């Protein structure tokens, strides 16, 4: 495993990078409140029965893993251009991250109709990417074949999260070959040049092609497409469940649908939804969850996910559950994509993601009564220089501590781990590592929290009945002691 030497970062350097306004928001009282809530919500008291040989003995308590999810997406698996970079990237999963979000985007998973990219081909190998001069122009950049990623994660013993089964986005999710089955007359209405090799503009404007039409009128105009998108969406969920249902722990079943719910687009019994993205299966969020519930094993966690964290999202989740949907976890996105936003936060010109705003947001979506997964987060390092790294690291540290303190929070997933490896339009300086896989200050900030501040390693003394008691962060532990013969004995236990 690669050992990274933490750089020296003085309090004076942090103070210079942040305004008095920012420091006032994250003052000592706020930090004490966060610490108290972490102690209350993330720790538990354990009492464990050890063998008689431990009676009266000193017991070493070593935390092996967290129950709390500290994740990242693993979209750049074997794609970083050299074996050394790839190895460093993979090392993070099982050390810093105990969960990996695996790409199941339909557009790139099934580049050719009827040929889902489950198994790896040559174009998915490290050799291909090491020789690739311009990886970001490849259609499967950030979308590795699934089987090798699943096998890797299982070998590391980390949690697997699939993203995403149903999403209306024509640009990122619906396959080009399926979009191209929409009658061209409707696409022509949007004054688009039909180019099947690059339909980015086509896909973004698909929704505009049906302006002035009701969902019923759209359904009548697109009878074949209505059948296709309903049939193929269901087929896709079933096919993925049959292959990975017993391997992957949780799924984003539906992504970013609260906007359509708020617009009144989810009509029970309808065949087609006039989504703001374009045509989608009727009542697609409800149907997606009901199909998933029927084909995934009961222990698989079914998540809903959105960036829209307003009242529409809360009402949608309550409505779906009232209609009988199995929704286990509520996903919440937080992307500070614009580097200027992080600069403004540090300079005190913006209250975005201030403690008060974060508490209001989590309090609002918490009213749905579900565990919350902060499923996609982006924090940029403005400018990419040393000061930008300081800003990114300190904002990340404060926000992680605050998020970790909330009772309903069950996990936090960092989005782009490596600089320059985001989707087009995402910032090139939002990683924890540089493009050459050198750690940034933000990596050390998170590693310090996850593997040091929030990891319990202590000692206790077993009583005369060999009962060992301690308080620690929830997770798996090894308890070790010296037996009567001087040989070390141990027990693996789970503090829940």
């Amino acid at each position: 495993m690669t050992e990274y030497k933490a750089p020296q970062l003085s309090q004076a350097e942090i103070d210079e990078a942040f305004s008095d306004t920012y420091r006032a928001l994250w003052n000592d009282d706020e930090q004490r409140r966060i610490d108290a809530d972490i102690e209350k919500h993330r720790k538990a008291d354990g009492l464990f029965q050890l063998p008689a040989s431990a009676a009266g003995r000193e017991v070493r308590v070593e935390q092996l893993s967290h129950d709390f999810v500290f994740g990242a997406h693993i979209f750049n698996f074997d794609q970083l251009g050299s074996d050394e970079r790839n190895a460093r990237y993979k090392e993070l999963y099982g050390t810093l991250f105990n969960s990996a979000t695996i790409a199941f985007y339909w557009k790139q998973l099934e580049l050719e109709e009827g040929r889902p990219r489950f198994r790896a081909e040559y174009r998915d190998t490290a050799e291909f990417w090491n020789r690739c001069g311009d990886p970001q122009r490849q259609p499967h950049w950030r979308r590795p074949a699934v089987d090798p990623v699943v096998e890797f994660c299982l070998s590391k013993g980390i949690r697997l999260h699939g993203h995403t089964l149903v999403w209306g986005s024509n640009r990122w999710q619906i396959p080009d070959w399926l979009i191209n089955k929409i009658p061209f007359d409707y696409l022509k209405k949007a004054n688009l040049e039909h180019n099947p090799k690059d339909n980015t503009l086509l896909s973004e404007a698909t929704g505009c092609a049906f302006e002035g039409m009701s969902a019923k009128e759209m359904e009548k105009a697109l009878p074949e497409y209505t059948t296709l998108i309903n049939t193929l969406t269901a087929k896709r969920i079933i096919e993925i469940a049959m292959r990975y249902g017993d391997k992957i722990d949780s799924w984003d079943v539906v992504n970013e649908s609260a906007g359509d719910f708020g617009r009144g687009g989810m009509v029970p019994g309808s065949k087609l939804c006039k989504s703001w993205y374009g045509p989608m299966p009727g009542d697609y969020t409800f149907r997606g969850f009901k199909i998933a519930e029927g084909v995934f094993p009961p222990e698989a966690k079914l998540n809903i996910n959105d960036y829209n964290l307003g009242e529409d999202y809360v009402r949608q989740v309550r409505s779906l559950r009232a209609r009988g949907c199995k929704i286990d976890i509520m996903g919440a996105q937080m992307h500070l994509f614009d580097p200027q936003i992080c600069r403004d936060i540090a300079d005190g010109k913006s209250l975005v993601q201030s403690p008060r705003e974060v508490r209001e947001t989590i309090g609002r979506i918490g009213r749905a009564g579900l565990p919350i997964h902060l499923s996609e987060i982006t924090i940029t390092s403005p400018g990419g220089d040393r000061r930008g790294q300081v800003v990114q690291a300190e904002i990340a540290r404060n926000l992680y501590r605050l998020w970790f303190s909330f009772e309903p929070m069950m996990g936090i997933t960092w989005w782009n781990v490596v600089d320059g490896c985001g989707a087009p339009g995402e910032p090139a300086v939002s990683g924890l590592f540089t493009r050459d896989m050198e750690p940034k200050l933000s990596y050390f900030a998170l590693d310090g929290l996850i593997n040091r501040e929030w990891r319990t390693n202590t000692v206790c003394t077993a009583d005369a009945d060999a009962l060992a008691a301690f308080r620690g962060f929830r997770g798996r532990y090894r308890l070790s002691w010296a037996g009567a013969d001087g040989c070390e004995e141990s027990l693996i236990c789970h503090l829940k």
Side-chain angles (χ1 to χ4, degrees):
M1 177 181 168
T2 307
E3 293 290 337
Y4 298 110
K5 183 178 179 181
Q8 295 296 318
L9 179 61
S10 68
Q11 186 60 48
E13 192 172 7
I14 296 173
D15 290 343
E16 185 178 349
F18 288 88
S19 67
D20 292 341
T21 302
Y22 180 87
R23 289 194 294 272
L25 291 171
W26 297 90
N27 59 46
D28 290 345
D29 287 342
E30 180 64 42
Q31 301 294 349
R32 281 189 286 269
R33 179 181 178 183
I34 291 171
D35 285 332
D37 286 342
I38 289 173
E39 180 71 26
K40 179 180 179 181
H41 298 140
R42 298 276 83 90
K43 286 185 174 181
D45 294 313
L47 181 65
F48 296 95
Q49 179 67 64
L50 305 184
S53 60
R57 301 280 180 171
E58 181 180 88
V59 178
R60 294 185 302 280
V61 178
E62 177 190 5
Q63 186 169 3
L64 302 177
S65 65
H66 285 281
D67 283 353
F68 194 89
V69 169
F70 295 107
H73 79 52
I74 193 167
F75 296 172
N76 294 107
F77 186 87
D78 275 342
Q79 294 186 352
L80 295 177
S82 76
D83 292 341
E84 181 182 4
R85 291 177 192 170
N86 291 333
R88 287 189 173 194
Y89 182 75
K90 292 176 182 178
E91 283 177 354
L92 297 173
Y93 298 87
T95 55
L96 183 65
F97 305 125
N98 60 13
S99 176
T101 295
I102 299 173
F104 279 88
Y105 297 89
W106 193 0
K107 186 181 287 286
Q108 292 84 11
L109 184 65
E110 196 171 346
L111 285 167
E112 296 91 25
E113 183 175 2
R115 292 191 62 226
R117 295 174 50 251
F118 297 137
R119 296 188 181 91
E121 303 171 8
Y122 176 71
R123 61 182 170 180
D124 298 299
T125 62
E127 181 183 358
F128 171 89
W129 291 106
N130 290 353
R131 294 180 174 183
C132 185
D134 193 356
Q136 290 175 309
R137 293 187 64 85
Q138 297 297 321
H140 58 308
W141 167 244
R142 300 176 78 248
R143 303 292 186 260
V146 180
D147 282 356
V149 180
V150 169
E151 291 165 8
F152 167 78
C153 292
L154 291 174
S155 75
K156 299 294 288 286
I158 65 174
R159 182 179 180 275
L160 291 78
H161 180 68
H163 175 82
T164 172
L165 298 178
V166 179
W167 185 20
S169 174
N170 290 300
R171 184 177 187 186
W172 303 115
Q173 174 80 346
I174 306 301
D176 294 355
W177 52 261
L178 182 52
I179 294 172
N180 289 334
K181 294 180 187 293
I182 297 175
F184 183 60
D185 286 348
Y186 292 99
L187 302 178
K188 192 175 179 181
K189 273 178 58 180
N191 296 317
L192 298 170
E193 181 180 351
H194 186 40
N195 181 353
K197 293 183 179 179
D198 181 5
N199 70 348
T200 298
L201 292 177
L202 168 68
S203 63
E204 287 182 328
T206 304
C208 301
F210 302 96
E211 283 185 332
M213 297 176 67
S214 68
K216 279 287 185 184
E217 289 169 335
M218 191 167 69
E219 179 187 320
K220 186 176 180 180
L222 302 173
E224 293 181 2
Y225 191 80
T226 298
T227 299
L228 268 177
I229 196 165
N230 277 278
T231 302
L232 295 179
T233 297
K235 176 179 178 291
R236 163 179 157 80
I237 297 172
I238 295 167
E239 187 175 35
I240 289 172
M242 293 302 100
R243 192 177 185 93
Y244 300 107
D246 61 345
K247 296 181 176 68
I248 295 182
D249 301 279
S250 61
W251 296 86
D252 284 331
V253 177
V254 182
N255 193 48
E256 298 177 2
S257 62
D260 282 336
F261 175 84
R263 295 170 58 253
M266 302 298 184
V267 181
S270 60
K271 295 180 181 178
L272 209 62
C273 170
K274 188 183 178 184
S275 169
W276 73 275
Y277 298 108
M280 280 290 288
D283 202 10
Y284 67 87
T285 308
F286 174 79
R287 287 185 179 175
F289 272 100
K290 296 309 288 184
I291 295 168
E293 182 182 351
V295 292
F296 283 99
E299 58 270 21
K301 300 296 184 184
L302 304 184
N303 298 21
I304 191 168
N305 190 48
D306 221 297
Y307 64 86
N308 179 347
L309 306 183
E311 292 293 343
D312 283 344
Y313 191 27
V314 177
R315 290 192 303 107
Q316 180 189 30
V317 171
R318 285 175 167 171
S319 172
L320 289 166
R321 296 182 75 196
R323 295 172 66 191
C325 287
K326 175 185 184 286
I327 303 179
D328 298 301
I329 296 170
M330 194 170 181
Q333 302 174 26
M334 196 294 295
H335 294 295
L336 300 178
F337 280 138
D338 185 352
Q340 185 61 47
I341 293 178
C342 287
R343 187 177 290 111
D344 288 345
I345 290 172
D347 290 342
K349 298 176 182 177
S350 172
L351 298 182
V352 170
Q353 297 301 309
S354 66
R356 179 176 178 177
E357 183 187 79
V358 174
R359 291 183 189 281
E360 288 176 352
T361 299
I362 300 302
R364 178 170 55 254
I365 62 177
R367 294 203 305 272
L370 290 173
I372 297 170
H373 177 203
L374 204 58
S375 54
E376 306 174 25
I377 70 158
T378 299
I379 302 170
T380 59
S381 50
D385 56 8
R386 171 76 176 194
R387 183 178 185 276
Q389 284 202 31
V390 172
V391 167
Q392 181 192 36
E394 187 67 6
I395 291 176
R397 185 177 189 279
N398 277 327
L399 284 175
Y400 260 74
R401 278 175 41 79
L402 179 56
W403 292 328
F404 189 61
S405 75
F406 292 123
E407 184 174 11
M409 194 71 71
M410 54 72 63
I412 308 167
T413 293
W414 191 277
W415 208 230
N416 295 316
V417 175
V418 184
D419 280 353
C421 289
E426 294 178 356
V429 288
S430 62
L432 301 172
F433 283 74
T434 68
R435 188 63 179 82
D436 292 330
M437 278 305 295
E438 292 296 328
K440 295 164 62 177
L441 294 176
S442 50
Y443 161 78
F444 293 106
L446 297 196
D447 183 61
L449 292 174
I450 296 167
N451 289 321
R452 291 169 180 78
E453 186 173 323
W454 297 337
R455 190 172 288 266
T456 301
N457 291 291
T458 186
V459 295
C460 65
T461 301
D463 67 13
D465 296 319
L467 289 171
F470 67 92
R471 182 171 177 81
F473 292 99
R474 295 181 179 89
R476 290 178 63 253
Y477 284 81
R478 178 187 293 115
L479 308 184
S480 305
W481 63 93
D485 58 0
C487 294
E488 182 173 286
E489 300 180 40
S490 65
L491 177 77
I492 303 298
C493 60
H494 193 168
L495 180 59
K496 297 184 178 180

